[in-house]
Amino acid sequence: MSDARTARYRGLFPVVPTTFTETGELDLASQTRCIDFMIDAGSEGLCILANFSEQFLLADDEREVLTRCAIEHVAGRVPVIVTTTHFSSRVCAERSRRAEAMGAAMVMVMPPYHGATFRVPEDKSFEFYARVSDAIHIPIMVQDAPASGTLLSAAFLARMAREIEQVSYFKIETAGAASKLRELIRLGGDAIEGPWDGEEAITLLADLDAGATGAMTGGGYPDGLRPILDDYRAGRRETAIAGYTRWLPLINIENRQCGFLAAKALMKEGGVIACDAPRHPWPGLHPASRAMLMEAARRLDVLALRWAR
């Protein structure tokens, strides 16, 4: 595995939520305030158009608008990862080329899948990532998430890292993530430039112990998660454990109760964004879940609740 000091990207890269108006239009003014907050709160990089960005509720032209808006507004302050997932190798490669041309530091790509049953064999997944790699000159992060319903073994991921030029980062969100990260690093060696934690940091400490060098989390409280990563990297493991223990109730509420609506709810409550509604037909946050989220966030003095005040 590449040493964390030499990996191009490491640390905290939260997912940027997509902000809408009450009628479901893109709200770019809120979007740019959201980005500014997330950088001010300690994000070392950002990821856009992920599942936690409600990418499945966006039109293709809106993806282009959001990519350009985010990268131009960030203006080099932090690296930006653009999610370019699509079932088609050609479409994914074209999306990835456009993202690179706009200034993306990396693309994140799930394996080809559609709905509950449409999958491709392992050899076709390999060809898919190889074609995307051939189209770009920036790293690919393989998103290994249960949503795809595709089994990506550690051995297969390590093989892709060794044989496909741009495949070098891996966001592991499956059950037993720490064990899979450990095996991936063992099998892939130096080809594994970025073994990363995901799923809102619910397994962060175990994944760091397994060798994770980055974390892709929700975007609502980078100010709470960044010190945990900083302490762990500096060898202050007990301090990192204490910090994680303190923030774990909020992490749990986001991961198990509120999902991708948590970040927008916190930002709306603190005046960072104007509206926290998802796009129809996704249901809004239940009032009881919102109250639970806000209680935990206030107990921690989350920056999102006061950044815009």
Side-chain angles (χ1 to χ4, degrees):
M1 182 188 72
S2 296
D3 188 275
R5 291 170 297 180
T6 60
R8 284 167 285 183
Y9 307 107
R10 65 172 188 170
L12 183 64
F13 279 62
V15 172
V16 179
T18 301
T19 54
F20 304 110
T21 67
E22 293 286 355
T23 56
E25 303 302 315
L26 295 181
D27 180 355
L28 297 184
S30 286
Q31 194 70 65
T32 54
R33 286 196 301 273
C34 166
I35 288 168
D36 288 337
F37 156 72
M38 291 177 66
I39 294 174
D40 285 354
S43 303
E44 293 170 272
L46 301 172
C47 177
I48 64 172
L49 304 181
N51 292 329
F52 253 50
S53 310
E54 301 173 63
Q55 61 84 16
F56 44 84
L57 295 170
L58 297 172
D60 285 350
D61 61 329
E62 291 175 323
R63 292 177 56 89
E64 298 290 307
V65 169
L66 288 165
T67 302
R68 192 171 299 282
C69 171
I71 292 175
E72 289 184 355
H73 187 72
V74 168
R77 286 177 285 172
V78 296
V80 178
I81 299 172
V82 179
T83 309
T84 58
T85 297
H86 196 279
F87 195 107
S88 162
S89 304
R90 177 175 179 175
V91 174
C92 187
E94 290 174 349
R95 283 182 173 182
S96 300
R97 270 195 298 265
R98 289 197 297 273
E100 180 182 16
M102 284 189 240
M106 188 189 310
V107 294
M108 184 168 73
V109 181
M110 295 180 76
Y113 78 100
H114 177 71
T117 60
F118 289 84
R119 306 290 181 272
V120 299
E122 189 174 272
D123 63 324
K124 292 301 179 184
S125 288
F126 185 95
E127 292 173 8
F128 168 84
Y129 281 106
R131 291 189 183 194
V132 176
S133 175
D134 288 344
I136 58 177
H137 305 89
I138 55 176
I140 296 170
M141 173 177 284
V142 177
Q143 183 179 3
D144 183 13
S148 75
T150 301
L151 177 62
L152 300 171
S153 69
F156 178 62
L157 294 175
R159 178 190 164 211
M160 288 203 295
R162 290 192 304 266
E163 299 180 19
I164 301 175
E165 182 179 5
Q166 303 302 343
V167 172
S168 49
Y169 285 76
F170 301 86
K171 180 187 177 187
I172 306 299
E173 301 182 280
T174 55
S179 296
K180 191 165 189 177
L181 281 163
R182 198 174 287 111
E183 183 69 357
L184 174 63
I185 292 165
R186 184 185 73 81
L187 294 172
D190 288 344
I192 312 301
E193 182 175 333
W196 282 25
D197 162 82
E199 204 181 1
E200 302 81 71
I202 196 67
T203 59
L204 178 60
L205 269 182
D207 293 346
L208 290 172
D209 281 343
T213 58
M216 189 174 289
T217 67
Y221 42 95
D223 50 305
L225 297 172
R226 172 70 183 274
I228 299 168
L229 287 164
D230 287 349
D231 284 331
Y232 194 94
R233 278 196 303 238
R236 298 184 294 267
R237 187 171 183 275
E238 289 302 317
T239 305
I241 290 172
Y244 187 69
T245 300
R246 182 168 176 256
W247 285 83
L248 187 55
L250 183 58
I251 293 169
N252 182 271
I253 290 168
E254 178 181 29
N255 179 260
R256 305 305 296 171
Q257 304 299 326
C258 300
F260 61 74
L261 298 180
K264 290 203 289 189
L266 292 170
M267 294 182 196
K268 168 65 164 57
E269 185 73 13
V272 178
I273 64 175
C275 172
D276 60 359
R279 260 188 177 167
H280 193 270
W282 196 271
L285 194 59
H286 191 282
S289 297
R290 181 187 298 274
M292 186 187 311
L293 176 71
M294 295 306 161
E295 179 185 39
R298 290 192 179 99
R299 190 178 297 120
L300 293 163
D301 192 28
V302 168
L303 181 61
L305 300 181
R306 53 186 168 81
W307 179 83
R309 300 301 188 192

